[in-house]
PDB file of all heavy atoms in Angstrom:
ATOM      1  N   GLY A  30     -13.253  11.465 -19.097  1.00  0.00           N
ATOM      2  CA  GLY A  30     -14.092  10.950 -20.170  1.00  0.00           C
ATOM      3  C   GLY A  30     -13.344  10.587 -21.437  1.00  0.00           C
ATOM      4  O   GLY A  30     -13.736   9.650 -22.152  1.00  0.00           O
ATOM      5  N   GLN A  34     -12.539   6.663 -25.204  1.00  0.00           N
ATOM      6  CA  GLN A  34     -12.308   6.587 -26.648  1.00  0.00           C
ATOM      7  C   GLN A  34     -11.279   5.526 -26.992  1.00  0.00           C
ATOM      8  O   GLN A  34     -11.291   4.984 -28.091  1.00  0.00           O
ATOM      9  CB  GLN A  34     -11.859   7.951 -27.183  1.00  0.00           C
ATOM     10  CG  GLN A  34     -12.913   9.020 -27.027  1.00  0.00           C
ATOM     11  CD  GLN A  34     -12.369  10.396 -27.402  1.00  0.00           C
ATOM     12  OE1 GLN A  34     -11.272  10.524 -27.922  1.00  0.00           O
ATOM     13  NE2 GLN A  34     -13.164  11.421 -27.128  1.00  0.00           N
ATOM     14  N   GLU A  50       2.510   3.476   7.392  1.00  0.00           N
ATOM     15  CA  GLU A  50       3.036   2.408   8.229  1.00  0.00           C
ATOM     16  C   GLU A  50       4.549   2.533   8.207  1.00  0.00           C
ATOM     17  O   GLU A  50       5.120   3.096   7.270  1.00  0.00           O
ATOM     18  CB  GLU A  50       2.555   1.025   7.779  1.00  0.00           C
ATOM     19  CG  GLU A  50       3.084   0.554   6.453  1.00  0.00           C
ATOM     20  CD  GLU A  50       2.583  -0.849   6.100  1.00  0.00           C
ATOM     21  OE1 GLU A  50       1.666  -1.369   6.752  1.00  0.00           O
ATOM     22  OE2 GLU A  50       3.132  -1.424   5.146  1.00  0.00           O
ATOM     23  N   TYR A  51       5.182   2.028   9.261  1.00  0.00           N
ATOM     24  CA  TYR A  51       6.612   2.246   9.471  1.00  0.00           C
ATOM     25  C   TYR A  51       7.323   0.909   9.656  1.00  0.00           C
ATOM     26  O   TYR A  51       6.777  -0.014  10.261  1.00  0.00           O
ATOM     27  CB  TYR A  51       6.818   3.107  10.720  1.00  0.00           C
ATOM     28  CG  TYR A  51       6.105   4.436  10.622  1.00  0.00           C
ATOM     29  CD1 TYR A  51       4.757   4.551  10.952  1.00  0.00           C
ATOM     30  CD2 TYR A  51       6.768   5.558  10.171  1.00  0.00           C
ATOM     31  CE1 TYR A  51       4.093   5.763  10.838  1.00  0.00           C
ATOM     32  CE2 TYR A  51       6.115   6.782  10.056  1.00  0.00           C
ATOM     33  CZ  TYR A  51       4.781   6.870  10.394  1.00  0.00           C
ATOM     34  OH  TYR A  51       4.125   8.065  10.274  1.00  0.00           O
ATOM     35  N   PHE A  54      14.896  -1.088   8.892  1.00  0.00           N
ATOM     36  CA  PHE A  54      15.766  -1.784   7.956  1.00  0.00           C
ATOM     37  C   PHE A  54      17.177  -1.751   8.505  1.00  0.00           C
ATOM     38  O   PHE A  54      17.624  -0.723   9.024  1.00  0.00           O
ATOM     39  CB  PHE A  54      15.733  -1.096   6.584  1.00  0.00           C
ATOM     40  CG  PHE A  54      14.400  -1.175   5.888  1.00  0.00           C
ATOM     41  CD1 PHE A  54      13.325  -0.425   6.321  1.00  0.00           C
ATOM     42  CD2 PHE A  54      14.229  -2.014   4.799  1.00  0.00           C
ATOM     43  CE1 PHE A  54      12.085  -0.497   5.681  1.00  0.00           C
ATOM     44  CE2 PHE A  54      13.002  -2.090   4.150  1.00  0.00           C
ATOM     45  CZ  PHE A  54      11.935  -1.330   4.598  1.00  0.00           C
ATOM     46  N   GLN A  65      14.404  -5.104   5.331  1.00  0.00           N
ATOM     47  CA  GLN A  65      13.405  -4.930   6.379  1.00  0.00           C
ATOM     48  C   GLN A  65      13.557  -6.060   7.386  1.00  0.00           C
ATOM     49  O   GLN A  65      13.632  -7.228   7.015  1.00  0.00           O
ATOM     50  CB  GLN A  65      12.003  -4.946   5.782  1.00  0.00           C
ATOM     51  CG  GLN A  65      10.912  -4.683   6.786  1.00  0.00           C
ATOM     52  CD  GLN A  65       9.537  -4.591   6.149  1.00  0.00           C
ATOM     53  OE1 GLN A  65       9.401  -4.430   4.951  1.00  0.00           O
ATOM     54  NE2 GLN A  65       8.509  -4.709   6.978  1.00  0.00           N
ATOM     55  N   LEU A  75       6.747   3.205  17.793  1.00  0.00           N
ATOM     56  CA  LEU A  75       6.651   1.763  18.011  1.00  0.00           C
ATOM     57  C   LEU A  75       7.689   1.032  17.159  1.00  0.00           C
ATOM     58  O   LEU A  75       8.329   0.086  17.616  1.00  0.00           O
ATOM     59  CB  LEU A  75       5.240   1.261  17.687  1.00  0.00           C
ATOM     60  CG  LEU A  75       4.996  -0.240  17.852  1.00  0.00           C
ATOM     61  CD1 LEU A  75       5.326  -0.707  19.268  1.00  0.00           C
ATOM     62  CD2 LEU A  75       3.557  -0.581  17.483  1.00  0.00           C
ATOM     63  N   GLU A 117     -27.044 -18.413  -3.754  1.00  0.00           N
ATOM     64  CA  GLU A 117     -27.077 -19.682  -3.027  1.00  0.00           C
ATOM     65  C   GLU A 117     -27.072 -20.836  -4.044  1.00  0.00           C
ATOM     66  O   GLU A 117     -27.760 -20.780  -5.042  1.00  0.00           O
ATOM     67  CB  GLU A 117     -28.318 -19.776  -2.139  1.00  0.00           C
ATOM     68  CG  GLU A 117     -28.297 -18.802  -0.988  1.00  0.00           C
ATOM     69  CD  GLU A 117     -27.192 -19.059   0.009  1.00  0.00           C
ATOM     70  OE1 GLU A 117     -26.876 -20.234   0.282  1.00  0.00           O
ATOM     71  OE2 GLU A 117     -26.612 -18.080   0.508  1.00  0.00           O
TER      72      GLU A 117
END
Side-chain angles (χ1 to χ4, degrees):
Q34 296 173 9
E50 68 179 12
Y51 302 84
F54 294 73
Q65 184 175 344
L75 179 57
E117 292 295 323

